[in-house]
Amino acid sequence: MSWPSPEPTHRIDVSPRTVRSGRTTTVTYTVTRLGARGDSNARLGLVGEATTGVRLTSADRQCSNPLTGGYPSSQRQAHVLDCALVDIQPGHPSTVKVDVQVGKSCSTVVSKMGYWLPKGQDTYTGNMMQGPTLTCVP
């Protein structure tokens, strides 16, 4: 069984959509709230292919690379970036600049986002949406 997916209340755009091997490319993700439904918060997640050595970083304080291992580990997953976005309102999108450092091996970078919908006390009120995928060219 599955729950019906509600209509998306947000949109994710990225520019540029292509990264190159052996280079660092700064890409800009823009999250737009399309209407009054939901609230102003969202979690944007970016994931590259771990085995390629891709590194995702951002100077934005809303973003961080997640910790690996148990406490007191301070090691972070360089191929994953998690951004907790706030203050996204209709007509006022949130933008995040991300540096994508690709080694000799290409890596795609996928994006997904989770956000709340109305009736926040009910079960299954969150929604996940797939965002754009960055492609890599040698």
Side-chain angles (χ1 to χ4, degrees), residues 12-107:
I12 307 167
D13 298 300
V14 66
S15 180
R17 293 183 76 119
T18 303
V19 294
R20 291 181 118 17
S21 61
R23 295 186 186 170
T24 299
T25 304
T26 301
V27 297
T28 302
Y29 285 88
T30 303
V31 176
T32 304
R33 191 166 143 209
L34 303 174
R37 291 184 58 224
D39 64 24
S40 64
N41 298 332
R43 294 283 298 268
L44 177 66
L46 311 173
V47 182
E49 299 170 50
T51 58
T52 66
V54 65
R55 299 179 60 83
L56 307 175
T57 58
S58 178
D60 193 311
R61 62 187 176 111
Q62 299 178 105
C63 301
S64 66
N65 300 90
L67 291 166
T68 61
Y71 180 81
S73 174
S74 61
Q75 184 177 356
R76 299 205 175 255
Q77 295 182 39
H79 70 287
V80 179
L81 192 66
D82 180 32
C83 301
L85 307 178
V86 297
D87 299 332
I88 307 168
Q89 296 174 316
H92 180 42
S94 181
T95 59
V96 175
K97 291 193 181 296
V98 176
D99 290 328
V100 180
Q101 181 182 8
V102 182
K104 291 179 182 178
S105 298
C106 264
S107 173

